[in-house]
Amino acid sequence: MNNIENLRSKQGYLCDMDGVLYHGERLLPGVTEFVHWLEKEEKQYLFLTNASGRTPLELQQKLARMGLEVGEDKFYTSALATAQFLHHQSPGCSAYIIGDPGLFNALYDYGIIQNDHNPDYVVVGETRAFGYEHITRAIYHVRNGAKLIGTNSDMTAPSETGIIPACRALIAPIELASERQAYFIGKPNALMMRTGLRILGVKTSEAAMIGDRMDTDIVAGMETGLDTVLVLSGVTDELRMQSYPYRPTYVLDGVGDIAG
């Protein structure tokens, strides 16, 4: 086990949210102390989420309802990463968009409009308003030349009622029927991690990635060259961790361990 003082000496922290900061509408133990420690020590930090449905303002308000006040600029979502990617790849492009308001807002802010006639892209994010008509329209557009983009590659996501399908599960029938593979933007894609580091203004050697999932958070940090922190407050326990061919730099019960 690495010395936790080395972790505490980092200048920047990229931190997952669900399973790290909260479960549902409940703040996890030690989170308030961790954020207060970040502020007191003047650390740079950014909360990353593969969930595309909410805007940074909505995420800020979610934490505020749980008693934690954090600036809106401390949140970065896969929807924002997707919008920035498309803007850089094809400025002024259009898309057939399947998702919730957070995705629509992010794309609109970069001038990417909804187009159900001849879109350049089909963009899929998480949404509970997902039906057969969305699938058939997306397949039609992809087979006619639109490029297929997923906000993230998570197969499932936690909810108040248990596990629900996430972006990769929703996009699978479109891939199968169109015979095209989607390109996924969120973690573990290094694009999202590198953008996070640029926002923080820190070098790779000065930052750490904190998360509860080995297949997104930890592999994303590892492949970006960051020290990684697996917290056992989310979906991964020590037994499940052992099944992966790679290891996090640190294993902690929760983020409160960092604050001491």
Side-chain angles (χ1 to χ4, degrees):
M1 181 65 65
N2 288 277
N3 188 338
I4 196 169
E5 291 303 324
N6 293 333
L7 175 60
R8 290 172 179 152
S9 70
K10 298 290 184 182
Q11 293 304 304
Y13 298 86
L14 299 171
C15 186
D16 185 41
M17 297 183 64
D18 201 352
V20 178
L21 302 181
Y22 53 75
H23 282 312
E25 298 296 325
R26 176 176 61 87
L27 209 62
L28 288 168
V31 169
T32 299
E33 291 80 4
F34 172 60
V35 174
H36 289 169
W37 176 82
L38 291 170
E39 297 284 355
K40 177 184 175 184
E41 298 295 323
E42 298 183 343
K43 303 290 189 180
Q44 300 299 314
Y45 65 95
L46 190 65
F47 296 136
L48 300 180
T49 177
N50 265 358
S52 62
R54 288 176 171 166
T55 66
L57 178 59
E58 288 171 325
L59 292 171
Q60 178 197 39
Q61 292 173 345
K62 177 181 174 73
L63 287 187
R65 288 195 298 270
M66 291 184 273
L68 186 61
E69 296 290 343
V70 179
E72 183 182 348
D73 62 335
K74 298 298 186 184
F75 300 90
Y76 188 64
T77 72
S78 66
L80 292 173
T82 299
Q84 290 176 331
F85 170 78
L86 294 182
H87 175 70
H88 290 143
Q89 287 283 306
S90 182
C93 65
S94 65
Y96 178 66
I97 308 163
I98 303 172
D100 281 345
L103 178 58
F104 279 87
N105 289 345
L107 292 169
Y108 285 171
D109 284 347
Y110 276 89
I112 301 165
I113 61 171
Q114 170 83 320
N115 179 355
D116 192 19
H117 177 60
N118 57 347
D120 302 297
Y121 294 90
V122 169
V123 180
V124 181
E126 286 94 358
T127 177
R128 300 194 182 195
F130 186 75
Y132 186 74
E133 178 65 21
H134 292 111
I135 296 171
T136 57
R137 293 304 298 168
I139 292 166
Y140 172 82
H141 291 314
V142 173
R143 292 188 69 91
N144 280 278
K147 301 171 184 68
L148 184 58
I149 299 289
T151 58
N152 64 85
S153 59
D154 293 68
M155 188 68 74
T156 61
S159 76
E160 298 291 339
T161 57
I163 295 298
I164 58 175
C167 183
R168 189 159 205 159
L170 299 180
I171 211 170
I174 302 170
E175 289 183 306
L176 291 169
S178 67
E179 300 181 324
R180 300 290 190 276
Q181 293 297 306
Y183 181 62
F184 296 98
I185 305 298
K187 297 174 293 181
N189 193 326
L191 284 171
M192 191 168 180
M193 306 300 293
R194 293 190 183 115
T195 301
L197 289 172
R198 285 198 298 271
I199 292 171
L200 294 185
V202 299
K203 299 176 182 177
T204 302
S205 60
E206 300 172 338
M209 175 67 204
I210 306 169
D212 70 318
R213 296 185 67 131
M214 291 289 288
D215 57 347
T216 54
D217 304 317
I218 301 307
V219 73
M222 181 187 68
E223 292 183 353
T224 312
L226 300 171
D227 280 1
T228 55
V229 184
L230 176 71
V231 292
L232 304 178
S233 54
V235 300
T236 306
D237 57 22
E238 291 195 72
L239 181 62
R240 182 163 183 167
M241 177 190 73
Q242 297 295 332
S243 68
Y244 288 86
Y246 47 88
R247 294 286 179 268
T249 316
Y250 305 89
V251 181
L252 305 175
D253 290 330
V255 291
D257 292 349
I258 302 174

